[in-house]
């Protein structure tokens, strides 16, 4: 997995609550059997004026100029600013794959749906929860300031504004460690093979019908 | 004596190891696999030189991409869908995994076939790369959706790395009014607590109204626990659970059955157990529900009307409502019963079990789908449900009324196959998500119960199904 340590990046504001995984990557693109290539179809129904199909050349499609990701001032953004319950809906990991493939590395929101939140960490994407008032303020600053950037430091667990204000954030210690080092957690789990076997032996003694 | 919630019992019996910060290696008993979220996991397994840890715990089926018309006998026309389904077949062959493939009589939506084959049992942890795995919590199983990286992790190690959730109890007490169903209960719960209300929680559904439900009804409720933001939904074991499981092909038999039943009976929250949050709902006050927006929490009762965003004080919510109404093509103040529909979909892992089809058929019997309705679909949740319905003559009831009777699969719940809404089309749907574009780009979804969808098909607009009920109150 791709590691994430720190980033100084342009911020793009997506001012909607409850952005769901169907919006992040519509179902027709879930037919792919690959892990990459989802970026051009990120937010497909909002970014383009036509209906997207897998395998299209997206550079030729008509774009929705109003959609924030299409606006010139936000090109090259690596930090997505969002509202509460971001990533609600399905478990599709295609959602973080699409965000990451598009070039985003950090999502800041007042809350996330749980499965999506967990999926981000497994794909080198850092989801940061900040309180609603701070998120409100970041939206106002981003919209008011062309070229607005934030510095995100995972080790120190801080977001720094252009004015130099330090905003701390919480992150699960285990997930942080895996993300900082780019660790694959299957490898970590496989160090406990003996414990898994011992557990199975214990369970078998009680719920034996599960082991026939 | 220490007291525990059902969730705590299920959790603690599956802990393989726990770190000081609560990060836990949790053992998984049943792994359900579909074609959409597994190809990259199998690929990862191969790249890592790993093998599935316990093949016999895995059950696979193709549900999202499969055509539901008779043309399915000739395979899948869309090459991209076909490749995904064939990839599942090939992976199952390579690793020796049991699969109910597209032509198997047991094929169906994964959350329908898990319970009906007895693959899902009380006391299990059940995972699938699909968020509606919550459905199976109706059996007092700890059942939740996972991402593709986790699918690979469970394949490789039979475990997941996760943390314990908080617990919430939603108590639904009293008798449901006539014509009001499990779907209306769960929509009312989501309307109350919101789509993020359950975030961080395992929700146990309790109370006399839940105990009175069949397993089908309980599955409908747990299915949509994810729509309330919860990672899983649970219902305690009782006689209804045990009766449902007896004789299922993968359920234990003989002496093992008796031992299992004795154990399963302990899978209830202890009387004095404390929950981190409690919600109480009065079942006698629930009316048939209809969603009006693009999130399941945007829901009202059939006697209500489309709300006015101007009356909402929170600016983010007000914006969300405005956007939803624009997308849905609705005006504030419009009575729900004046909303005309173009299509009807009766299906999905929420409402495509036999009891759902019976409830819809009961409304439809002897009536006709309104001329203004372009397409009314019934898509059984599984091959077994389809055969049962046909044995009861329900297929005739639907066909005689002008419905199409299809082969099992996810179908128009999300339209990965050919069953979709066209832009602007309005659908009465028994599925679980009314997100923008969910049933097809530009399509407009109203979530309702099977009986309400059937009533809407007949009337061409939403009607209170209770006005169509034939039996006296
Ligand atoms: S029926 Fe719908 S919600 Fe259920 S598994 Fe299929 S696509 Fe997902």
């Amino acid at each position: 997995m791709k590691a994430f340590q720190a980033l100084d990046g342009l911020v793009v504001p997506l001012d909607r609550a409850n952005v769901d995984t169907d919006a992040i990557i519509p179902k027709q693109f879930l037919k792919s059997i690959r892990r990459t290539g989802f970026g051009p179809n990120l937010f497909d129904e909002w970014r383009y004026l036509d209906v997207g199909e897998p395998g299209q050349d997206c550079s030729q499609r008509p774009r929705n100029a109003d959609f924030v990701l299409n606006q010139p001032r936000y090109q090259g953004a690596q930090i997505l600013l969002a509202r509460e319950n971001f990533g609600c809906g399905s478990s599709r990991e295609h959602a973080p794959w699409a965000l990451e493939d598009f070039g985003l590395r950090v999502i800041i929101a007042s809350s996330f749906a749980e499965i999506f939140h967990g999926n981000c960490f497994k794909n080198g994407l850092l989801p940061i929860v900040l309180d609603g008032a701070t998120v409100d303020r970041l939206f106002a600053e981003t919209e008011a300031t062309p070229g607005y950037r934030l510095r995100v430091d995972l080790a120190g667990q801080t977001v720094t504004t252009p004015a130099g204000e330090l905003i701390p954030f919480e992150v699960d210690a285990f997930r942080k460690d895996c993300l900082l080092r780019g660790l694959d957690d299957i490898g970590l789990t496989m160090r406990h093979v003996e414990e898994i076997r011992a557990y199975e032996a214990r369970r078998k003694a009680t719920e034996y019908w599960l082991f026939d | 004596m220490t007291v525990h919630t059902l969730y705590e019992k299920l959790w603690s019996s599956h802990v393989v190891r726990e770190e000081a910060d609560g990060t836990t290696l949790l053992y998984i008993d049943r792994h359900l696999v579909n074609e959409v979220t597994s190809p990259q996991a199998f690929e990862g397994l191969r790249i890592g030189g790993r093998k599935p840890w316990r093949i016999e715990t895995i059950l696979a089926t193709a549900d999202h991409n499969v055509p539901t018309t008779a043309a399915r006998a000739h395979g899948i026309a869309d090459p991209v869908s076909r490749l995904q389904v064939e990839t599942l077949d090939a992976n199952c062959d390579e690793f020796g995994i049991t699969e109910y493939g597209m032509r198997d009589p047991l094929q169906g939506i994964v959350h329908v076939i898990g319970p009906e084959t007895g693959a899902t049992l009380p006391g299990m942890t059940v995972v699938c790369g699909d968020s509606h795995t919550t459905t199976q919590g109706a059996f007092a199983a700890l059942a939740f959706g996972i991402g593709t990286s986790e699918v690979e992790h469970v394949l490789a190690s039979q475990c997941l790395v996760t943390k314990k959730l908080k617990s919430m109890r939603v108590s639904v007490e009293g008798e449901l009014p006539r014509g009001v169903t499990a779907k209306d209960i769960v929509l009312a719960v989501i309307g109350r607590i919101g789509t993020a209300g359950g975030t961080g929680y395992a929700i146990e559904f309790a109370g006399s109204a839940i105990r009175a439900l069949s397993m089908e009804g309980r599955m409908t409720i747990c299915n949509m626990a994810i729509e309330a933001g919860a990672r899983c939904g649970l219902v305690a074991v009782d006689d209804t659970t045990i009766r449902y499981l007896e004789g299922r092909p993968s359920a234990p038999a003989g002496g093992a059955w008796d031992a299992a039943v004795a154990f399963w009976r302990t899978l209830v929250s202890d009387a004095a157990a404390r929950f981190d949050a409690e919600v109480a709902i009065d079942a006698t006050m629930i009316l048939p529900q209809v969603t009006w927006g693009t999130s399941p929490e945007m829901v009202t009762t059939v006697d209500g009307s489309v709300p006015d965003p101007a009356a909402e004080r929170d600016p983010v919510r007000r914006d969300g409502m405005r956007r939803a109404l624009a997308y849905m093509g609705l005006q504030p103040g419009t009575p729900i019963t004046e909303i005309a529909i173009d299509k009807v979909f009766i299906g999905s892992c929420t409402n495509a079990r036999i009891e759902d089809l019976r409830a819809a058929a009961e409304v439809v019997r002897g009536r006709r789908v309104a001329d203004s309705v372009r397409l009314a679909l019934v898509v059984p949740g599984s091959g077994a449900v389809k055969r049962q319905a046909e044995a009861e003559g329900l297929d005739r009831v639907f066909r005689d009324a002008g419905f199409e009777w299809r082969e099992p699969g996810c179908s128009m719940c999300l339209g990965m196959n050919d069953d979709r809404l066209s832009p602007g089309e309005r659908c009465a749907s028994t599925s679980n998500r009314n997100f923008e574009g969910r049933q097809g780009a530009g399509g407009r979804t109203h979530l309702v119960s099977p009986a309400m969808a059937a009533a809407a098909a007949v009337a061409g607009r939403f009607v209170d199904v209770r006005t169509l009920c034939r039996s006296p109150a």
Side-chain angles (χ1 to χ4, degrees):
Chain A
M1 186 187 75
K2 219 184 218 179
F4 180 100
Q5 277 113 21
L7 169 81
D8 185 326
L10 187 70
V11 182
V12 57
L14 182 61
D15 198 356
R16 306 183 181 206
N18 297 315
V19 171
D20 59 72
T21 52
D22 281 86
I24 297 172
I25 182 84
K27 80 289 245 108
Q28 60 271 38
F29 307 108
L30 312 189
K31 296 178 185 182
S32 167
I33 58 170
R34 298 171 54 222
R35 243 175 213 271
T36 53
F38 296 98
N41 301 110
L42 174 70
F43 297 121
D44 198 273
E45 288 178 17
W46 293 342
R47 256 165 93 198
Y48 303 99
L49 296 170
D50 61 347
V51 175
E53 287 302 328
Q56 263 170 324
D57 175 5
C58 291
S59 64
Q60 303 305 316
R61 295 174 58 196
R63 288 180 185 239
N64 172 9
D66 290 338
F67 185 57
V68 74
L69 255 59
N70 288 334
Q71 293 170 12
R73 63 183 280 198
Y74 297 121
Q75 296 312 301
Q78 289 178 290
I79 301 175
L80 182 72
L81 185 61
R83 296 282 183 185
E84 72 247 25
N85 204 26
F86 188 87
C88 61
S90 84
S91 65
R92 60 186 71 162
E93 203 157 314
H94 314 68
W97 293 340
L99 289 157
E100 200 269 344
D101 195 60
F102 179 82
L104 293 160
R105 298 303 307 277
V106 175
I107 305 163
I108 300 176
S110 46
S111 64
F112 291 91
E114 264 168 83
I115 304 180
F116 174 83
H117 186 257
N119 282 342
C120 285
F121 284 97
K122 304 197 187 304
N123 292 284
L125 207 58
L126 174 63
I128 297 178
V129 179
L130 297 179
D131 65 85
T134 307
V135 169
D136 277 347
R137 193 155 51 79
L138 292 179
F139 265 103
E141 288 178 14
T142 306
E143 280 155 13
T145 323
Y148 188 83
R149 301 174 77 84
L150 289 170
R151 192 180 149 71
V152 175
D153 175 20
L154 177 56
Q157 294 182 214
T158 54
V159 175
T160 313
T161 67
E165 182 200 356
L166 241 69
I167 306 168
F169 64 87
E170 297 290 325
V171 58
D172 178 84
F174 176 76
R175 285 174 163 164
K176 173 181 172 179
D177 188 49
C178 289
L179 194 50
L180 280 172
R181 298 198 279 157
L183 290 181
D184 148 27
D185 52 354
I186 297 181
L188 295 177
T189 295
M190 297 320 264
R191 296 190 308 203
H192 306 302
V193 161
E194 287 317 314
E195 276 171 86
I196 299 171
R197 296 229 164 86
Y199 170 87
E200 288 179 324
R202 286 201 303 279
R203 264 310 274 310
K204 212 167 171 170
T206 52
E207 292 164 70
Y208 59 89
W209 53 89
L210 298 181
F211 292 84
D212 285 348
Chain B
M1 203 183 91
T2 44
V3 292
H4 298 287
T5 63
L6 169 57
Y7 174 72
E8 284 163 346
K9 292 179 185 181
L10 293 169
W11 173 267
S12 59
S13 64
H14 289 86
V15 173
V16 173
R17 64 177 275 129
E18 187 179 345
E19 309 295 334
D21 71 345
T23 301
T24 298
L25 202 56
L26 195 73
Y27 192 79
I28 302 303
D29 298 311
R30 176 67 70 200
H31 189 182
L32 304 169
V33 170
N34 69 26
E35 80 276 23
V36 180
T37 53
S38 68
Q40 298 87 351
F42 282 111
E43 185 63 19
L45 208 62
R46 268 190 293 271
I47 292 169
R50 298 182 171 117
K51 289 222 166 336
W53 181 277
R54 254 181 88 202
I55 297 283
E56 66 275 21
T57 64
I58 311 172
L59 178 61
T61 196
D63 51 11
H64 286 63
N65 281 277
V66 296
T68 58
T69 56
R72 143 181 189 159
H74 311 294
I76 304 177
D78 174 0
V80 195
S81 285
R82 186 170 63 232
L83 177 62
Q84 195 167 58
V85 171
E86 286 172 355
T87 302
L88 179 68
D89 296 345
N91 283 326
C92 290
D93 282 351
E94 177 183 339
F95 292 107
I97 292 167
T98 304
E99 187 203 5
Y100 299 145
M102 190 169 74
R103 294 185 181 81
D104 194 297
L106 291 175
Q107 178 269 344
I109 305 172
V110 72
H111 313 303
V112 175
I113 66 176
E116 77 185 7
T117 57
T120 300
L121 296 172
M124 278 182 163
T125 41
V126 180
V127 297
C128 175
D130 190 285
S131 60
H132 290 102
T133 310
T134 57
T135 311
Q136 302 169 62
F139 291 84
L142 189 53
F144 51 92
I146 56 178
T148 296
S149 296
E150 291 178 315
V151 170
E152 184 184 339
H153 194 284
V154 175
L155 285 172
S157 69
Q158 209 63 37
C159 290
L160 260 187
V161 179
T162 184
K163 275 190 167 174
K164 195 174 170 183
L165 299 165
K166 292 181 288 181
S167 61
M168 177 188 289
R169 177 163 56 191
V170 174
S171 304
V172 191
E173 298 286 356
E175 203 176 320
L176 284 176
R178 189 172 58 101
V180 177
T181 66
K183 182 65 164 288
D184 302 300
I185 296 180
V186 72
L187 284 170
V189 169
I190 296 165
R192 167 87 79 87
I193 69 174
T195 48
T199 304
Y201 290 97
I203 299 183
E204 178 173 345
F205 296 95
S208 58
I210 304 295
R211 284 196 298 277
L213 292 174
S214 64
M215 288 316 294
E216 283 83 356
R218 295 174 188 186
M219 284 190 257
T220 299
I221 293 200
C222 289
N223 173 274
M224 290 192 73
I226 184 73
E227 258 56 64
R231 195 73 197 272
C232 60
L234 287 169
V235 177
V237 168
D238 64 4
D239 292 342
T240 304
T241 324
I242 311 270
R243 263 198 311 272
Y244 179 97
L245 289 168
E246 190 162 17
R248 302 265 160 193
S250 299
W257 168 257
D258 295 331
V261 169
F263 174 72
W264 293 342
R265 293 272 184 200
T266 68
L267 298 174
V268 298
S269 286
D270 297 329
R274 290 180 62 92
F275 290 79
D276 298 302
E278 294 264 12
V279 175
I281 305 258
D282 180 355
T284 64
M285 302 297 286
I286 300 176
L287 294 178
Q289 309 276 311
V290 182
T291 64
W292 52 264
T294 53
S295 161
E297 70 185 22
M298 294 174 166
V299 65
T300 187
T301 49
V302 68
D303 61 349
S305 46
V306 176
D308 187 354
E312 171 61 52
R313 292 169 59 182
D314 179 89
V316 176
R317 289 180 68 92
R318 185 166 60 233
D319 249 35
M321 287 172 76
R322 287 219 172 99
R323 196 175 286 119
L325 291 189
Y327 181 85
M328 294 297 288
L330 292 173
Q331 294 303 319
T334 308
I336 296 296
T337 50
E338 283 177 18
I339 300 174
I341 51 154
D342 305 304
K343 286 185 174 168
V344 176
F345 173 60
I346 297 176
S348 90
C349 57
T350 316
N351 282 131
R353 288 171 285 268
I354 187 68
E355 184 184 283
D356 302 313
L357 303 192
R358 286 179 192 143
E362 191 46 41
V363 174
V364 164
R365 196 181 300 274
R367 297 190 167 110
R368 292 278 315 163
V369 171
D371 290 342
S372 57
V373 172
R374 271 171 235 160
L375 177 68
L377 276 186
V378 185
V379 184
S382 70
V385 170
K386 181 168 187 261
R387 284 188 297 280
Q388 174 69 30
E390 287 170 351
E392 297 177 18
L394 304 185
D395 59 322
R396 287 248 52 99
V397 174
F398 286 118
R399 284 201 166 111
D400 289 349
F403 277 86
E404 293 193 14
W405 178 250
R406 296 286 187 88
E407 300 295 320
C410 295
S411 177
M412 210 199 277
C413 174
L414 92 167
M416 272 184 83
N417 65 356
D418 290 333
D419 309 334
R420 293 179 211 165
L421 298 183
S422 301
E425 276 185 335
R426 190 178 298 287
C427 182
S429 178
T430 66
S431 55
N432 44 51
R433 286 184 178 144
N434 51 354
F435 300 156
E436 286 184 27
R438 171 75 180 184
Q439 295 191 284
R444 296 162 171 165
T445 303
H446 296 268
L447 303 176
V448 287
S449 73
M452 283 286 290
V458 167
R461 57 185 173 80
F462 291 108
V463 288
D464 189 335
V465 63
R466 294 171 302 169
T467 64
L468 296 184
C469 285
R470 274 172 273 244
S471 52

